Amino acid sequence: MDISHINLIETNIKNLWKVADLYRTEVNSKTPYSILDFFPHPSGIGLHVGHTVGYIATDIFARFKRANGYNVLYAMGFDSFGLPAEQFAIQTNQHPEITTHNNINNMLSQLECLSLSHDPSRSFSTTDTDYYKWTQWIFLKIYNSYFNNLTGKAEPIENLYSKLKSKKYTIEDGLLIELENNYSEEEINQLVNSMRLAYLNDVEVNWCPMLGTVLANEEIKNGKSERGNHPVEKRKMKQWMMGITAYADRLYNQLDTLDWPTNIVSMQKNWIGKSEGALITFHSKTGKQYKIFTTKPETLFGVTFIAVANQEDQVEKQIDEVIHPITKETIPVWTANYVIGDYGTGTLMAVPAHDQRDFEFAKQHNINFKPVVRPNYAWLVENALESMPQSQLLNHWKTDPTKFKSAYEGTGPLITPQQFEIFEDISVKNQKKQVRNFIEQKKIGKYVTQHKLRDWLFSRQRYWGEPFPIVFDKAGNAYPIDENQLPVELPQQYDFKPELNQQSPRPPLEKASNWKTVQGIILDNGSVKILNQNEINTYPTNMVQTFTRELNTMPNWAGSCWYYLRYMDPKNDSTFVSKEKLEYWAKDKIGTIDLYVGGAEHAVLHLLYARFWHMVLFDLGYLINPEPFTKLLNPGMMTADAYMDERGVYVDVEDVVVKNQTAIQISTGKPLTIEPGKMGKRYKNGIDPKDMCAKYGVDVFRMHVMYISPVTQSSTWNANIKGMQRFYNSIHQKLQDCIDIEYSKTDDTSQLHKTILSVTEEIVNFRFNTAIAALIKLNNSVEKFSMNDCVIILQLLYPFAPHLAEHLYQQIRSKMNNLPQLIEHLQWPTYDPKLIVETKIKLPVNIDGKIRDVLEIDINTTDDEIKILILQNTKIQKYLQQSYSLQIIRKDKPIIANVTTT
RNA sequence: GCCGUUGUAGCUCAGGGGUAGAGCGCUCCCUUGGUAAGGGCGAGGUCAAGAGUUCAAAUCUCUUCAAUGGCACCA
């Protein structure tokens, strides 16, 4: 088949769909289903074929779902704010607005060629003012709420204010408790501000001089910036924070309600880092307090030193002494390098007998040991350093644990339970409960759930991001901007570059001198209304104040935290998404989106942030589902061969020809070494899907990409697309002939119906490679199809090769009456169970472990009849010279005949 | 160190208690008026290794090995 012919067919079909406005989605009476790809950054270099795996997969699923009678929400917009877009603008020395615009257009044309069935009327970019207006609006909602730990939900901040005013509640360690307070008005205001879910705080931040901005913990990998791999320094700065830690428990526990890949769930759980234990305070003689967190409070009487994180030097030394809260013994305090300042309280109670790191530290610094838990004998035997009689093992352990290889970190009965006032024999599980009672009754400490998760740093010293809807008065107090004045638009500014390598960050917006200061009045609800020149004169001068805008911008995660909601209601200018639309698309579901497809690299960033925003908006009553995404799938990463010349420089794939597994550089004729690498700019091995479509056709390309491997598995780009081309040509030709000749009967209806069954099942389970394999198999085994059956095959083919399917369908439609206008309007075919039932089966005859022949028999043949058939079989007779036993194995039907000679 | 995933033909992957499969690549043949192409025949495997369960194991169970992803002085 001539490629120009195929291109023509595909162009015509695209036009046909465009005219019919096939992809437009409206609320209707069908069952809704929403499919979403991860939000793409419109990068400067555009998409390569690796990116298309997920997109083609969701398109196949969307077409399949629609053909099954669902109303499918499937759209794509662009995450166009943020570092990637801005870095590209800096590198190419153009304004980000221009580069963003160009990049989006470039990407749209790449996506266009793939014929993804996105509803174009639902597309938007995060940089659109009528989009980021709502990003700012959501920020204000978060700013104006707090997390009520008593109800476990976010509430409007006014509720907290009135609670504190009522004097019935106190705030302790950021938690609300029912206890009378005597706060002053000023204290209340301060506490209320500190409890906001978006709050300003002086925090140690990750300052990246080379990027000229601070970064979130999640954006740091191995001490370097994830983007660009630049060094990162700690610095104290006043920054906006998001109180995500308040949601740690819900973020953790609700993971189990989601249909997500286990590795993503475990990554999020790791990141949130839930651990349960006790907070215990040790007092020093000088009155200083050491708050420690322990997951093993039952070892309280085994503490022989307190270890604090080593802040300044790396020298481990004793610095203080504390009193044990029960025994009143004196315990030394040491600085230890193994203690992490950021984790827990940065201080721990060291129990050398029962913690390996404490064990080693104590040995090194000659600190004593106090075993309190009894190990089992197997452990004692295995870990004893010197040989000792078995009866003496436990005594040795009790007196000198250094005679053993390591600390005993397991559980077990306490050696001296009386210390916890336990006097009867109880199980280890009950022992834990008693220890808890003891610690709580004696008020030594309290039981808490601790999380590794930190609050989310939300400020960036960048130009290309959403401005905060916040201003400051002369005293530095923050005020939200009046909701009705949103959006706060970015100033048109051509000096947008951050100042790199500065000692401290200076946000680029500081240079927007006309923008950064405003006149305004404080409204009754506490927000600021900004006034233009004419308005100022209508207010008394003592009401009008000068404010400075917040000069930092939001991180690019902000826009991607809620975009999935906007697809449901993209043009609404009275709310970010209406309840009616939510009720239609997501009623009674766990997640608002049914299926979410995207790479594992966002496991702890976007997927955690988006869940957090969702939960806040859910608590405040704006959303109807407890989670954003019900089912998540990660397409595998695609690698491709990269080519390196003798100097070790990567050569562009365009300049390479591969023959017999040797690579030659076309321009120089020199041999190249081949090695695989992640597809992309770095290895110069990115392949533009547009080129592939032009060269082989969209349908062939789509099927080829899907056939390489299961969607969720990493794969290597296979440049040899010929196999799929052959299949395409072959089935195209075959069906074309069938349509031209108009056969009345199909060769093998059973095979066709088996294919319906298997293609359907494979698509449902997201195994598109095997779905295509089933179609290839059908094509290899059946020659003639009736017109009706041609339609069925085209329907099966449609999700994968939509143009070819539609093209041939239109020919059939012109010959047959009563067919709907487009192939998608047909209901997905069902198989006839009667036609896939086997009547004949193959029965292997196994003689002493070797298959000697295979009989083809009717499925209902009895054992006796089979035995006669075997005895009559000349091929088998020669093996039956000696005596033998014969057995027919059945499972619903005869499976195998086993012959054992003796 | 902890948690997860994967080992099947040279490559990419199906299958999965009952004859070992597909596409590419490779051999050979046919087409020479679609030719930097098309079609056909064929060769290729101890299903990572070992043990167990079973009449029967690539498939189930356990152990080991190897790849790979994530987390990690987490108290």
Side-chain angles (χ1 to χ4, degrees):
Chain A
M1 194 75 47
D2 194 343
I3 180 62
S4 60
H5 183 219
I6 293 170
N7 285 340
L8 185 65
I9 291 174
E10 291 179 347
T11 310
N12 288 340
I13 295 300
K14 280 182 188 191
N15 280 334
L16 177 73
W17 290 331
K18 202 169 200 173
V19 171
D21 209 0
L22 174 62
Y23 304 144
R24 181 179 285 276
T25 325
E26 306 288 355
V27 167
N28 60 27
S29 58
K30 293 180 185 173
T31 312
Y33 192 87
S34 47
I35 301 174
L36 183 66
D37 291 289
F38 275 15
F39 212 18
H41 297 295
S43 81
I45 43 171
L47 298 173
H48 57 66
V49 298
H51 293 120
T52 66
V53 175
Y55 299 155
I56 296 171
T58 49
D59 183 63
I60 288 169
F61 205 67
R63 288 178 191 272
F64 172 74
K65 275 287 184 184
R66 289 198 301 262
N68 276 282
Y70 287 86
N71 189 23
V72 175
L73 183 73
Y74 182 50
M76 182 173 276
F78 299 94
D79 189 9
S80 41
F81 267 134
L83 268 178
E86 193 167 5
Q87 287 296 97
F88 183 77
I90 292 167
Q91 276 156 24
T92 57
N93 204 23
Q94 301 172 80
H95 195 272
E97 204 170 307
I98 296 163
T99 56
T100 302
H101 180 76
N102 292 344
N103 294 349
I104 289 174
N105 283 341
N106 178 37
M107 218 169 127
L108 275 172
S109 83
Q110 285 183 305
L111 294 170
E112 157 86 27
C113 92
L114 295 173
S115 282
L116 305 174
S117 51
H118 298 133
D119 179 350
S121 71
R122 292 174 186 270
S123 185
F124 53 80
S125 301
T126 51
T127 45
D128 297 345
T129 47
D130 50 6
Y131 181 83
Y132 74 72
K133 164 183 174 175
W134 295 108
T135 309
Q136 292 170 337
W137 181 88
I138 294 170
F139 175 86
L140 288 183
K141 291 295 150 202
I142 299 172
Y143 173 80
N144 281 320
S145 25
Y146 78 108
F147 190 80
N148 182 336
N149 51 282
L150 301 173
T151 58
K153 284 168 63 172
E155 291 175 4
I157 198 83
E158 299 90 67
N159 294 9
L160 177 66
Y161 189 76
S162 45
K163 276 196 170 71
L164 296 183
K165 286 276 268 192
S166 77
K167 300 280 176 196
K168 287 180 191 152
Y169 294 87
T170 305
I171 288 174
E172 202 178 294
D173 290 337
L175 297 176
L176 195 62
I177 47 175
E178 275 191 79
L179 188 73
E180 294 253 330
N181 77 56
N182 53 356
Y183 297 138
S184 69
E185 182 72 14
E186 203 189 325
E187 280 171 327
I188 289 179
N189 284 337
Q190 265 180 14
L191 282 167
V192 164
N193 277 335
S194 74
M195 293 286 281
R196 290 177 188 274
L197 279 172
Y199 63 96
L200 272 172
N201 199 13
D202 272 312
V203 281
E204 286 257 314
V205 295
N206 306 296
W207 161 240
C208 179
M210 292 303 287
L211 291 175
T213 185
V214 303
L215 297 169
N217 292 336
E218 290 84 348
E219 292 171 305
I220 312 290
K221 283 269 140 89
N222 300 323
K224 299 271 179 76
S225 66
E226 186 171 42
R227 175 151 286 271
N229 204 32
H230 301 300
V232 173
E233 301 164 8
K234 290 275 175 201
R235 177 145 303 163
K236 208 151 209 181
M237 283 167 56
K238 190 163 218 155
Q239 300 284 303
W240 284 100
M241 304 294 290
M242 286 272 167
I244 191 170
T245 46
Y247 280 85
D249 258 334
R250 259 165 77 185
L251 288 167
Y252 190 98
N253 295 334
Q254 284 182 201
L255 281 170
D256 294 330
T257 67
L258 303 175
D259 183 6
W260 284 20
T262 49
N263 62 325
I264 301 291
V265 170
S266 94
M267 280 161 75
Q268 287 218 352
K269 285 188 172 177
N270 272 336
W271 189 261
I272 296 167
K274 180 176 177 172
S275 56
E276 282 156 346
L279 267 178
I280 298 174
T281 310
F282 286 75
H283 299 268
S284 84
K285 288 171 181 165
T286 57
K288 202 173 166 194
Q289 292 188 3
Y290 291 89
K291 241 190 193 158
I292 62 98
F293 175 70
T294 175
T295 53
K296 290 200 240 168
E298 68 274 13
T299 60
L300 178 63
F301 292 99
V303 181
T304 58
F305 67 100
I306 299 294
V308 300
N310 210 340
Q311 300 286 9
E312 308 109 39
D313 47 26
Q314 292 301 296
V315 184
E316 296 180 319
K317 55 179 182 289
Q318 193 192 324
I319 52 168
D320 200 354
E321 282 180 340
V322 293
I323 309 293
H324 191 283
I326 302 294
T327 64
K328 308 294 177 200
E329 283 175 301
T330 301
I331 296 172
V333 179
W334 283 76
T335 60
N337 293 339
Y338 70 87
V339 180
I340 315 161
D342 288 341
Y343 186 72
T345 59
T347 309
L348 58 87
M349 64 174 215
V351 185
H354 300 292
D355 182 281
Q356 191 55 27
R357 287 148 314 172
D358 301 345
F359 183 89
E360 277 152 25
F361 190 91
K363 263 169 90 165
Q364 195 187 337
H365 293 98
N366 283 319
I367 302 171
N368 60 332
F369 286 69
K370 277 192 188 161
V372 291
V373 177
R374 199 168 75 208
N376 52 48
Y377 272 97
W379 185 90
L380 288 167
V381 170
E382 197 170 310
N383 284 279
L385 283 173
E386 51 196 80
S387 73
M388 42 184 95
Q390 229 174 353
S391 60
Q392 289 301 306
L393 274 170
L394 189 59
N395 273 340
H396 279 287
W397 166 254
K398 283 181 186 167
T399 49
D400 189 4
T402 59
K403 285 183 184 157
F404 293 79
K405 273 184 220 160
S406 58
Y408 178 70
E409 296 185 316
T411 53
L414 289 169
I415 291 172
T416 327
Q418 297 80 4
Q419 286 173 313
F420 287 104
E421 295 175 2
I422 301 169
F423 299 107
E424 64 272 40
D425 225 4
I426 52 170
S427 68
V428 174
K429 207 175 163 188
N430 273 333
Q431 182 179 281
K432 266 196 179 304
K433 278 185 198 156
Q434 295 280 14
V435 168
R436 180 176 184 156
N437 287 344
F438 178 86
I439 285 175
E440 283 176 344
Q441 272 169 24
K442 300 273 172 188
K443 293 200 162 61
I444 305 160
K446 58 179 177 183
Y447 274 67
V448 294
T449 304
Q450 187 111 0
H451 296 96
K452 199 174 72 171
L453 183 70
R454 303 286 88 166
D455 272 352
W456 170 20
L457 177 71
F458 200 70
S459 301
R460 296 293 182 278
Q461 291 70 45
R462 282 302 183 127
Y463 170 72
W464 198 235
E466 298 87 348
F468 283 85
I470 294 283
V471 291
F472 298 93
D473 66 14
K474 280 193 177 122
N477 298 312
Y479 298 86
I481 289 175
D482 181 21
E483 241 175 70
N484 300 317
Q485 293 195 313
L486 300 180
V488 177
E489 290 192 40
L490 265 181
Q492 283 295 324
Q493 181 182 330
Y494 293 94
D495 186 9
F496 61 89
K497 292 175 194 169
E499 292 181 18
L500 302 184
N501 271 320
Q502 294 290 302
Q503 273 309 300
S504 57
R506 282 187 58 211
L509 286 179
E510 204 162 86
K511 297 178 242 177
S513 44
N514 292 333
W515 180 83
K516 70 175 181 184
T517 46
V518 290
Q519 306 291 310
I521 55 159
I522 300 171
L523 302 175
D524 289 344
N525 63 10
S527 61
V528 165
K529 183 182 178 184
I530 293 169
L531 304 176
N532 63 31
Q533 274 311 318
N534 300 333
E535 290 168 321
I536 289 170
N537 301 328
T538 63
Y539 289 92
T541 44
N542 62 351
M543 273 182 75
V544 179
Q545 294 184 41
T546 302
F547 295 92
T548 313
R549 290 183 190 271
E550 168 62 58
L551 299 172
N552 291 312
T553 53
M554 300 187 198
N556 54 329
W557 312 108
S560 61
C561 267
W562 71 281
Y563 75 108
Y564 58 95
L565 299 165
R566 192 64 176 173
Y567 288 138
M568 297 183 173
D569 202 1
K571 302 281 189 280
N572 196 331
D573 61 2
S574 60
T575 181
F576 69 116
V577 58
S578 71
K579 269 281 177 64
E580 299 83 69
K581 296 287 162 66
L582 284 170
E583 291 285 350
Y584 172 71
W585 288 107
K587 195 170 184 190
D588 296 332
K589 295 176 179 178
I590 289 171
T592 306
I593 297 293
D594 291 301
L595 174 67
Y596 198 20
V597 176
E601 66 274 15
H602 286 139
V604 294
L605 291 158
H606 159 66
L607 287 174
L608 198 59
Y609 298 151
R611 291 180 65 217
F612 162 57
W613 276 37
H614 187 99
M615 286 178 192
V616 178
L617 292 169
F618 174 70
D619 286 353
L620 297 176
Y622 294 104
L623 301 179
I624 62 168
N625 312 97
E627 285 277 342
F629 317 115
T630 305
K631 186 179 173 68
L632 176 70
L633 283 176
N634 301 129
M637 185 182 74
M638 190 177 272
T639 57
D641 282 341
Y643 307 96
M644 203 189 258
D645 67 16
E646 52 196 9
R647 298 166 302 166
V649 175
Y650 286 103
V651 173
D652 200 295
V653 276
E654 303 275 307
D655 191 21
V656 177
V657 66
V658 182
K659 269 268 158 105
N660 296 336
Q661 289 169 16
T662 26
I664 308 286
Q665 185 171 10
I666 298 169
S667 57
T668 61
K670 285 185 177 167
L672 302 165
T673 50
I674 307 177
E675 58 176 71
K678 183 177 175 180
M679 191 177 275
K681 188 171 65 169
R682 180 165 169 208
Y683 300 110
K684 293 191 183 168
N685 61 352
I687 294 158
D688 189 339
K690 242 176 146 174
D691 295 347
M692 289 290 121
C693 292
K695 227 165 149 182
Y696 302 99
V698 184
D699 288 339
V700 170
F701 173 71
R702 286 167 58 111
M703 287 195 287
H704 177 70
V705 170
M706 289 297 103
Y707 193 63
I708 290 174
S709 79
V711 173
T712 51
Q713 200 163 306
S714 288
S715 60
T716 309
W717 168 247
N718 179 356
N720 198 325
I721 209 164
K722 269 194 296 186
M724 198 47 69
Q725 222 174 353
R726 277 188 200 144
F727 166 64
Y728 176 94
N729 287 343
S730 167
I731 199 161
H732 188 167
Q733 197 60 60
K734 184 175 286 178
L735 293 170
Q736 185 72 67
D737 289 349
C738 291
I739 293 165
D740 291 346
I741 298 166
E742 298 188 37
Y743 292 117
S744 58
K745 202 165 157 288
T746 299
D747 280 351
D748 187 347
T749 331
S750 169
Q751 188 63 41
L752 175 69
H753 281 253
K754 282 181 192 162
T755 308
I756 297 173
L757 172 63
S758 93
V759 169
T760 309
E761 281 193 342
E762 304 296 6
I763 294 180
V764 166
N765 292 306
F766 243 70
R767 292 187 301 243
F768 303 138
N769 56 336
T770 47
I772 294 168
L775 288 164
I776 291 176
K777 201 170 157 192
L778 177 72
N779 183 49
N780 287 346
S781 58
V782 183
E783 282 308 311
K784 293 176 187 157
F785 298 100
S786 70
M787 289 289 264
N788 283 324
D789 288 346
C790 279
V791 174
I792 291 177
I793 296 169
L794 291 174
Q795 285 183 270
L796 298 179
L797 209 49
Y798 175 71
F800 308 96
H803 308 83
L804 175 63
E806 188 77 77
H807 169 69
L808 294 174
Y809 173 77
Q810 292 302 329
Q811 292 181 28
I812 297 176
R813 191 171 157 255
S814 68
K815 293 186 169 201
M816 292 172 78
N817 293 326
N818 299 326
L819 283 175
Q821 192 201 350
L822 297 170
I823 189 166
E824 197 176 282
H825 298 149
L826 285 169
Q827 180 65 26
W828 188 257
T830 49
Y831 68 96
D832 182 346
K834 274 177 260 153
L835 285 173
I836 62 170
V837 170
E838 308 270 1
T839 53
K840 293 263 177 189
I841 54 162
K842 288 176 172 179
L843 183 78
V845 180
N846 181 5
I847 300 173
D848 292 332
K850 280 211 190 320
I851 307 289
R852 296 300 180 178
D853 198 19
V854 179
L855 308 175
E856 193 165 307
I857 58 165
D858 190 275
I859 194 157
N860 294 318
T861 317
T862 64
D863 283 10
D864 288 343
E865 288 167 342
I866 293 172
K867 280 178 189 171
I868 293 167
L869 284 173
I870 289 172
L871 295 176
Q872 288 172 344
N873 185 304
T874 46
K875 270 194 199 167
I876 294 171
Q877 274 166 5
K878 61 180 172 186
Y879 298 103
L880 302 181
Q881 306 296 341
Q882 353 176 14
S883 63
Y884 60 87
S885 63
L886 194 158
Q887 188 190 12
I888 315 291
I889 308 291
R890 285 179 172 269
K891 196 178 179 183
D892 305 331
K893 57 180 181 181
I895 288 171
I896 195 167
N898 273 325
V899 180
T900 320
T901 59
T902 47

